[in-house]
């Protein structure tokens, strides 16, 4: 489509489909899926990929625009905070005298293109019959990665034929989540949440040109504009809107002042300046995080999609927020934060964007008091993090839900799924390994690890058999509740305590003043550390040396065996197929549990027991969670089974990119997308982090001819290239001091004077 408007030279079409996500046509029942898949976000603002203008059909869900950290409870009786959808600032109506211009468009012409390289969403549509005007419409929208408060919308409308009066109206729509209005002016509106007391402000400027000549609106209201004129053949109409959005943690009598300042700065550089800076910010993110796969175009496209959303989910400037289970792309899970962030996302950020990883962990540090309070309420010491958290870090897991049979079910995860504390500690330690960020460790990270270690030392109870048991928990496999000695929980707890002891030694040796301060403020002395050592040595792990198996939890092996192959092709989870009660009595696993432990702590599996456990539990897993297959894929790759891992990779990618697995109207599965990166880098490339350097043990699938990526390691930038055909590993140090790299078990020292090239047996 050749529109001679301002978008013509800025459109996509760089010729590389791995950078583009495209859909043509319009289907009402799939529109919510498109809105999720084509969402754009910058860690502060999230904008779903809704229609740029009315296309003559009812919407299945209202438009959604999200502001990170804007939480409130929906009713006075509710106790569960939810992410508040903010007013949609993209609304446009193009009207003929008798109704909408696009009420009968050629729906087959509607094309959505997400340019992931540039971080922008484009839409094309046209109307060629059954209307007084034949028109073509093209739109651009983005939320700036350079200035996160800024959103921008540009619409080009070309009149191909016909003459008619035309009205172009732009508005900021209402939200179905009630907000209390605070301020309303022509260029600014401000609201506050009713119960949490947060403030939201949107400042906006808009303009419309016809054939390059700006027209003044005939009507103005609060963030609304209307223009009217007689459309003629050949006219090109250009609409531009810039918004600035700010959130305040408390009611602010000056709400909106910062939004106006942000808007003024954006208007100074203009819409092309906004676009240029936004694209430059995305170019830098891609420079640090892109992955190139040779030989598997589907895997390449999936990784680009995953990395696009991962880069758009985090905001390194705001430690008050974290990444929710659906990021800023949908309403599912109310915008709450789970273990997903620490286990599936932090590794990506720690190795490609350390500033973002640090901020996500600072969110956990800021909620440490809430974690301490939860532990005390439940009768333990230390820090027990919320299974679901929002802005304050308090436990916000809903107490009940409605089951598939429409019965009310109690949700026990908030009290029993306690591995979250070890998960937070795991991510904190992993970030420390990757960055050696001394300031973070001394100011925040050490306290997180010490307080979570203290929790587990108090939680594991010494019993008559001489072992410490952790009873009444839920592991990652949420089909089984109130279980004793869940292997994942217990081994992670033991690991957490051991890292707490390591931190105590490290602080004493390197920063004794920090240790004295922390030991005093936490009332942590040598007698308690002795108890920790004993606890770590005596926690029951259920590992049987005779079989090489971890029992998933006490009594799991006595449950009913179910052949999951008999249910192949099912479209619903196994707990729906079997019923909740039978599932709880069966060896049917919701998601990777012992396999997740294998993926995170492979050193906890001696000799060949890793493969033994994988074989045993893989056939018992129903994959009732989007997190499950990525853990299986990571474990399989590390076990030297790249083809099996590749199957899990593509199945995980299909969750958000295909229409055959699950509905994604409620948002993308950001943890599964993080898992794709984990499988590629920690799995196929065989990367592992150690105290002395990075290690590589590549296991590329046969179809992957090459794998190129970049990582950051302790203020160093490295480029890694795996050549599957020539069985070659090339590591180039682009910035930083010389370092040690392990390849095939051999240590090499690399410096900026030249790449390391190693011939390796890369199994395929």
């Amino acid at each position: 489509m050749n529109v001679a408007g301002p978008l013509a030279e800025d459109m996509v079409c760089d010729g590389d489909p791995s950078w583009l996500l495209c859909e043509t046509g319009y289907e009402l029942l799939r529109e919510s899926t498109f809105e999720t898949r084509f969402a754009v976000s910058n860690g502060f603002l999230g904008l779903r990929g809704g229609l740029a203008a009315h296309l003559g059909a009812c919407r299945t869900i209202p438009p959604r625009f999200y502001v990170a950290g804007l939480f409130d409870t929906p009713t006075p009786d509710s106790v569960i905070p939810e992410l508040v959808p903010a007013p949609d600032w993209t609304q446009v109506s193009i009207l003929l005298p008798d109704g909408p211009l696009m009420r009968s468009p050629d729906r087959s012409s509607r094309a959505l293109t997400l340019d992931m390289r540039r971080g922008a969403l484009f839409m094309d549509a046209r109307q060629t019959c059954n209307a007084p005007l034949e028109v073509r419409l093209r739109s651009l929208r983005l939320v700036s990665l350079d200035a996160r408060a800024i959103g921008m919308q540009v619409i080009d409308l070309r009149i191909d034929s016909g003459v008619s009066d035309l009205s172009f109206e732009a508005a900021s729509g209402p939200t179905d989540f009630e907000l209390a209005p605070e301020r309303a002016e022509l260029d600014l509106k401000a609201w506050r949440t009713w119960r949490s007391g947060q403030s939201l402000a949107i400042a906006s400027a808009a303009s419309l040109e016809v054939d390059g000549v700006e027209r003044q609106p005939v009507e103005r209201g609060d963030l609304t504009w209307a223009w009217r004129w007689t459309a003629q053949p050949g006219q090109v109409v250009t609409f531009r809107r810039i918004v600035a959005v700010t959130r305040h943690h408390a009611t602010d009598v000056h709400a909106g002042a910062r939004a106006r300042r942000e808007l003024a700065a954006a208007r100074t550089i203009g819409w092309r300046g906004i676009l240029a800076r936004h694209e430059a910010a995305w170019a830098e993110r891609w420079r640090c995080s892109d992955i190139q796969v040779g030989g598997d175009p589907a895997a390449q496209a999936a990784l680009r999609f995953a990395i696009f959303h991962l880069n758009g989910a985090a905001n390194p400037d705001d430690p008050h927020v974290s990444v929710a289970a659906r990021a800023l792309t949908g309403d599912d899970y109310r915008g709450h934060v789970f273990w997903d962030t620490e286990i599936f996302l932090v590794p990506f950020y720690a190795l490609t964007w350390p500033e973002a990883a640090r901020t996500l962990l600072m969110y956990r540090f800021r909620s440490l008091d809430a974690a301490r309070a939860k532990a005390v309420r439940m009768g333990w010491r230390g820090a027990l993090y919320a299974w679901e958290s929002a802005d304050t870090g308090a436990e916000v897991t809903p107490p009940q839900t409605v089951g598939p049979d429409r019965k009310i079910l109690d949700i026990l995860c908030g009290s029993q799924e306690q591995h979250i504390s070890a998960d937070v500690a795991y991510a904190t330690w992993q970030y420390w390994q990757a960055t050696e960020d001394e300031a973070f460790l001394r100011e925040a990270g050490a306290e997180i690890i010490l307080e979570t270690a203290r929790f587990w030392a108090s939680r594991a109870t010494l019993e008559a058999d001489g072992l410490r048991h952790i009873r009444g928990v839920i592991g990652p496999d949420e089909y089984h509740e109130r279980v004793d000695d869940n292997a994942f929980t217990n081994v992670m707890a033991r690991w957490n305590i051991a890292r707490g002891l390591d931190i105590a030694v490290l602080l004493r040796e390197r920063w004794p003043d920090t240790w004295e301060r922390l030991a005093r403020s936490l009332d942590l002395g040598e007698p308690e550390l002795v108890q920790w050592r004993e606890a770590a040595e005596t926690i029951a792990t259920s590992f049987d040396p005779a079989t090489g198996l971890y029992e998933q939890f006490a009594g799991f092996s006595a449950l009913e065996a179910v052949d999951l192959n008999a249910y192949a092709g099912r479209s619903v989870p196994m707990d729906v197929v079997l019923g909740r009660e039978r599932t709880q009595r069966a060896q049917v696993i919701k998601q990777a549990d012992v396999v997740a432990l294998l993926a995170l702590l492979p050193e906890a599996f001696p000799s060949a027991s890793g493969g033994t456990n994988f074989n045993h539990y893989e056939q018992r897993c129903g994959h009732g969670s989007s997190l499950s297959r990525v853990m299986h894929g990571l474990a399989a790759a590390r076990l030297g089974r790249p083809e099996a891992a590749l199957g899990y990779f593509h199945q995980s990618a299909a969750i958000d990119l295909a229409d055959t697995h699950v509905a994604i109207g409620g948002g993308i599965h950001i943890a599964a997308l993080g898992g794709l990166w984990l499988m590629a880098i920690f799995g196929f490339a065989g990367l592992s982090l150690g105290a002395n350097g990075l290690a590589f043990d590549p296991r590329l699938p046969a179809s992957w001819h090459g794998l190129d990526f970049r990582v950051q390691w302790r203020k160093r930038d490295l480029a890694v290239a795996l050549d599957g055909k020539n069985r070659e590993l090339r590591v180039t140090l682009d910035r930083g001091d010389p370092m040690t790299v392990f390849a095939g078990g051999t240590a090499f020292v690399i410096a900026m004077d030249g790449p390391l090239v190693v011939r390796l047996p890369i199994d395929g």
Side-chain angles (χ1 to χ4, degrees):
M1 167 175 145
N2 297 314
V3 175
L7 286 185
E9 63 193 74
D10 294 293
M11 287 304 288
V12 288
C13 304
D14 63 2
D16 185 348
S18 68
W19 288 105
L20 305 178
L21 183 67
C22 304
E23 287 280 358
T24 300
Y26 176 82
E27 297 178 37
L28 179 61
L29 295 180
R30 298 175 65 208
E31 193 61 21
S32 64
T33 293
F34 292 162
E35 291 192 2
T36 291
R37 199 170 287 152
F38 289 87
V40 292
S41 58
N42 63 14
F44 177 56
L45 305 179
L47 183 62
R48 283 171 62 84
L51 300 175
H54 182 78
L55 286 188
C58 298
R59 299 182 57 88
T60 56
I61 58 174
R64 281 292 191 256
F65 171 57
Y66 302 101
V67 179
L70 188 67
F71 284 94
D72 199 17
T73 51
T75 67
D77 298 330
S78 174
V79 296
I80 305 300
E82 301 182 14
L83 187 65
V84 177
D88 173 32
W89 54 269
T90 66
Q91 290 193 356
V92 166
S93 297
I94 308 173
L95 304 171
L96 296 167
D98 61 345
L101 170 67
M102 303 295 285
R103 64 182 179 271
S104 56
D106 177 0
R107 294 189 179 182
S108 66
S109 76
R110 198 285 292 264
L112 288 173
T113 302
L114 179 64
D115 187 334
M116 294 178 286
R117 187 200 297 268
R118 300 166 65 194
L121 176 64
F122 297 86
M123 191 191 85
D124 290 354
R126 70 175 181 268
Q127 180 165 277
T128 58
C129 61
N130 300 321
L133 300 177
E134 293 188 1
V135 300
R136 296 185 177 185
L137 180 147
R138 172 174 290 172
S139 73
L140 156 71
R141 64 171 65 171
L142 60 85
V143 289
S144 174
L145 198 67
D146 170 68
R148 287 185 171 81
I150 301 300
M152 187 175 76
Q153 176 186 36
V154 181
I155 296 177
D156 275 1
L157 186 71
R158 189 176 80 179
I159 313 299
D160 285 341
S161 66
V163 176
S164 176
D165 291 337
L166 198 61
S167 175
F168 193 108
E169 300 177 359
S172 178
T175 173
D176 58 349
F177 201 115
E178 190 175 7
L179 293 167
E182 275 192 325
R183 195 171 171 186
E185 300 174 18
L186 291 180
D187 64 339
L188 172 73
K189 293 186 77 171
W191 304 261
R192 62 176 171 82
T193 55
W194 285 101
R195 283 155 286 278
S196 64
Q198 296 194 57
S199 293
L200 170 71
I202 300 179
S204 183
S207 66
L208 184 137
E209 296 177 356
V210 178
D211 292 336
V213 178
E214 183 171 353
R215 292 186 175 241
Q216 295 303 309
V218 297
E219 293 179 10
R220 280 298 318 270
D222 304 335
L223 300 189
T224 63
W225 298 260
W227 295 267
R228 297 187 182 91
W229 73 99
T230 300
Q232 304 284 343
Q235 280 183 346
V236 175
V237 181
T238 304
F239 169 74
R240 305 184 185 98
R241 172 160 43 188
I242 303 171
V243 299
V245 183
T246 58
R247 183 204 72 230
H248 307 263
H249 278 284
T251 302
D252 184 351
V253 295
H254 301 294
R258 185 156 57 92
R260 276 193 169 132
R261 289 195 299 271
E262 295 276 6
L263 179 64
R267 295 185 71 184
T268 297
I269 65 173
W271 81 274
R272 288 193 186 279
I274 293 170
L275 180 60
R277 293 187 182 186
H278 168 74
E279 291 179 348
W282 268 107
E284 174 60 16
R285 290 277 12 100
W286 283 114
R287 184 192 70 80
C288 296
S289 59
D290 187 28
I291 296 176
Q292 298 178 50
V293 178
D296 190 340
Q300 177 70 83
L303 282 166
R304 290 260 166 82
F305 179 79
I307 295 168
F308 170 77
H309 280 292
L310 289 166
N311 280 323
N315 179 5
D317 300 323
D318 190 353
H320 296 281
V321 301
S322 186
V323 179
R326 297 293 182 263
L328 291 171
T329 68
D331 289 338
D332 278 5
Y333 296 107
R334 301 174 172 88
H336 293 174
V337 178
F338 295 76
W339 72 313
D340 307 31
T341 305
E342 283 70 35
I343 297 301
F344 297 87
L345 306 184
V346 166
F348 167 81
Y349 297 120
L351 289 169
T352 68
W353 198 3
E355 299 85 356
R358 190 186 206 273
T359 298
L360 294 176
L361 294 172
M362 286 303 297
Y363 165 84
R364 291 299 191 183
F365 179 69
R366 289 177 179 275
S367 62
L368 193 54
D369 283 343
R372 291 186 180 108
K374 180 180 176 182
V376 169
R377 284 197 308 272
M378 299 187 70
W380 299 301
R381 303 184 67 206
L384 173 55
Y385 277 96
W387 178 244
E388 297 186 33
S389 61
D391 52 341
T392 67
E395 181 62 71
V396 294
T397 302
Q400 294 180 317
T401 189
V402 179
D405 57 0
R406 312 309 298 168
K407 293 181 179 179
I408 300 297
L409 301 176
D410 292 333
I411 299 178
L412 303 179
C413 299
S415 59
Q416 295 184 15
E417 200 149 358
Q418 298 168 6
H419 63 81
I420 178 67
S421 277
D423 304 331
V424 172
Y426 184 92
T428 304
W429 182 261
Q430 190 175 54
Y431 172 77
W432 162 245
Q433 281 192 306
T435 66
E436 281 198 336
D437 184 342
E438 296 180 3
F440 168 79
L441 187 73
R442 296 173 66 181
E443 296 166 9
E447 191 169 350
I448 291 173
I449 293 175
L450 290 169
E451 283 290 76
T452 50
R454 170 178 272 171
F455 165 72
W456 292 115
S458 74
R459 179 67 176 88
T461 303
L462 182 63
E463 298 186 9
D465 59 0
L467 297 177
R468 292 178 180 267
H469 298 273
I470 301 176
R471 300 191 181 278
V473 299
I474 298 173
D477 168 23
E478 294 165 339
Y479 285 164
H480 298 92
E481 302 167 338
R482 299 186 182 91
V483 304
D484 298 334
D485 291 332
N486 168 250
F488 181 92
T489 302
N490 286 28
V491 176
M492 289 289 286
R494 183 180 64 180
W495 176 92
N496 194 167
I497 296 172
R499 298 296 77 75
L501 293 167
D502 289 345
I503 287 291
V505 171
L506 179 64
L507 293 180
R508 280 172 165 166
E509 292 179 350
R510 295 179 61 177
W511 305 290
D513 56 335
T514 300
W515 171 249
E516 290 178 9
R517 173 181 59 81
L518 271 177
R520 184 171 54 252
S521 66
L522 300 178
D523 191 20
L524 178 60
E526 185 60 30
E528 185 174 353
L529 295 177
V530 170
Q531 294 174 355
W532 289 12
R533 293 187 189 97
E534 178 193 358
E537 293 170 357
T538 57
I539 288 178
T541 65
S542 75
F543 181 75
D544 182 356
T547 63
L549 285 174
Y550 280 97
E551 186 176 25
Q552 183 175 297
F553 56 81
F556 179 84
S557 59
L559 299 178
E560 175 193 359
V562 175
D563 181 8
L564 295 185
N565 291 324
Y567 301 92
R570 58 188 164 82
S571 60
V572 295
M574 282 303 301
D575 62 329
V576 177
V577 175
L578 299 179
R580 188 165 183 259
E581 292 184 0
R582 185 184 174 196
T583 302
Q584 292 176 334
R585 299 193 304 268
Q587 294 182 35
V588 176
I589 303 168
K590 178 180 179 180
Q591 63 173 306
D593 197 304
V594 173
V595 171
L597 182 62
L598 174 61
L600 299 184
L601 297 179
E603 66 272 17
F605 293 77
S607 61
S609 66
T612 301
N613 280 271
F614 187 90
N615 295 340
H616 183 77
Y617 287 105
E618 181 188 33
Q619 60 186 308
R620 289 165 169 79
C621 187
H623 301 297
S625 165
S626 62
L627 310 179
S628 185
R629 288 184 172 87
V630 297
M631 281 296 187
H632 279 78
L634 175 56
R638 283 180 163 172
L639 289 171
R641 307 176 186 183
E643 303 310 321
L646 185 61
Y648 283 120
F649 180 96
H650 285 297
Q651 290 167 13
S652 298
I655 294 172
D656 285 330
L657 285 172
D659 297 324
T660 57
H661 187 76
V662 293
I664 64 167
I668 60 165
H669 298 74
I670 191 68
L673 298 181
L676 296 181
W677 185 91
L678 285 172
M679 280 190 278
I681 305 304
F682 284 11
F684 299 132
L687 176 66
S688 60
L689 315 183
N692 300 318
L694 296 176
F696 296 90
D697 184 16
R699 304 295 177 90
L700 290 187
S703 59
W704 286 27
H705 303 154
L707 179 64
D708 295 1
F709 60 95
R710 303 185 69 88
V711 292
Q712 296 183 40
W713 171 259
R714 299 179 181 178
K715 298 181 180 179
R716 300 170 176 89
D717 289 346
L718 296 95
V720 181
L722 287 165
D723 184 337
K725 290 184 177 179
N726 296 315
R727 299 179 179 272
E728 183 178 275
L729 166 69
R730 178 182 293 263
V731 183
T732 304
L733 181 63
D734 288 338
R735 178 180 69 94
D737 297 332
M739 62 174 288
T740 300
V741 170
F742 297 86
T746 302
F748 302 89
V749 176
I750 62 171
M752 293 179 61
D753 56 359
L756 167 69
V757 180
V758 181
R759 294 295 299 271
L760 289 174
I762 305 178
D763 297 334

